[in-house]
Amino acid sequence: MPYRFSFKKYRLPLRVPLRTAHGWWAEREGLILRLEDDQGTVGFGEIAPIPWFGTETMVEAEEILRQFGNMVPDELLDKTPERYGCVRFALAQARSVSSATASTSRLPVAALLPAGREVLRVLPEKLEVGFLAFKWKVGVGDAEDELGILDDLLAQIPAHTKLRLDANGAWNRRDAARWLTRCADRPIEFVEQPVAPAEEDTLLGLANDYPVKLALDESVVHLSDARRWQGLGWPGIFVIKPALAGPLHEVIDWILKTKADVVFSSAIESTLARSAILSAVLDQPLSRRALGFGVGEIFGDRRWDGPFIGPLIDNGCLAQTPGEELWNALN
Ligand code: MG
């Protein structure tokens, strides 16, 4: 079936710039695409790449969209290469018949805690608003200092809450071994990406040598990466950012088929992509772990941020027709 096809670019300053392994991230660029079938049914999809995380670039995404022209057949959309995970996510989103979920489930959200000693100031605020799961960025400062702060943090954190650590691949094998030894007898839900994605043998070795659960994040940008790690016998968790991974229905099929232990996580996308993701995870049990969508207000613009995300997600967190509204807001 041929679709009428068009797309628009967006560029939004982040309300608070994010510190990443590649410096400060101050502005989110992305694309919204629109597909209209011959029945007049319109669908929207969001492309929100993070090139330094291993996705296609904006230039590459735009290039492939231009090749689609004004009218594009299904078959050509289906030929979008695997490595264009963000484009493939958006095309699948625009083509899916998205009905609002009737789900009454509520899923917990993990609050993101700042690196360093600042964490001790922010934790009580997050507890106060009701968060029960937390993620703390580590591997940023001196390891000895951070291990000391970890002890202070664990002393403050109530027993019924969960704490996960994210090293963003910053450790070498020795640092990682030291941390994982310290975590062994502590209540840590899991440690995310202890060493860089290239260190595959080290990742597998650490996962088998220590009792603490490990999670892959930077290592599994695309669904195909997660499948490959599964084939290698990865015994831990997969952090999946659906907006980067490829078609959402393929991610869901994979989880249902393989019972992969998954944490869903934000790619700093707008409410358009996020509502599609949250709708899917509310619809059926896919993960028992708190969602990595505790990123707060990203843009400081209600249209793009969508409904407020607090300690629990339910279908009130889904924007109703974000595609139409955002499309019309763009030139
Ligand atoms: Mg991570």
Side-chain angles (χ1 to χ4, degrees), residues 43-64:
F44 297 93
E46 178 178 356
I47 300 172
I50 312 183
W52 44 262
F53 204 82
T55 74
E56 66 266 49
T57 63
M58 278 291 287
V59 171
E60 290 169 325
E62 281 187 78
E63 216 165 71
I64 205 159

Side-chain angles (χ1 to χ4, degrees), residues 248-280:
L248 186 54
H249 60 89
E250 289 183 15
V251 171
I252 292 168
D253 286 349
W254 168 68
I255 296 168
L256 293 175
K257 267 196 200 104
T258 67
K259 306 273 179 280
D261 189 351
V262 164
V263 173
F264 290 101
S265 180
S266 161
I268 315 298
E269 61 279 292
S270 85
T271 190
L272 174 55
R274 192 178 67 206
S275 292
I277 295 163
L278 297 183
S279 173

Side-chain angles (χ1 to χ4, degrees), residues 182-232:
R182 285 283 283 271
C183 289
D185 52 0
R186 288 169 166 77
I188 302 295
E189 185 190 7
F190 61 79
V191 176
E192 202 169 308
Q193 200 71 43
V195 302
E199 313 277 315
E200 300 202 346
D201 292 340
T202 302
L203 284 164
L204 280 165
L206 293 169
N208 289 310
D209 289 350
Y210 294 90
V212 186
K213 276 259 182 210
L214 300 187
L216 299 175
D217 183 5
E218 283 85 345
S219 290
V220 292
V221 178
H222 302 106
L223 175 58
S224 55
D225 302 319
R227 286 186 193 279
R228 192 175 64 79
W229 275 96
Q230 213 171 32
L232 292 172

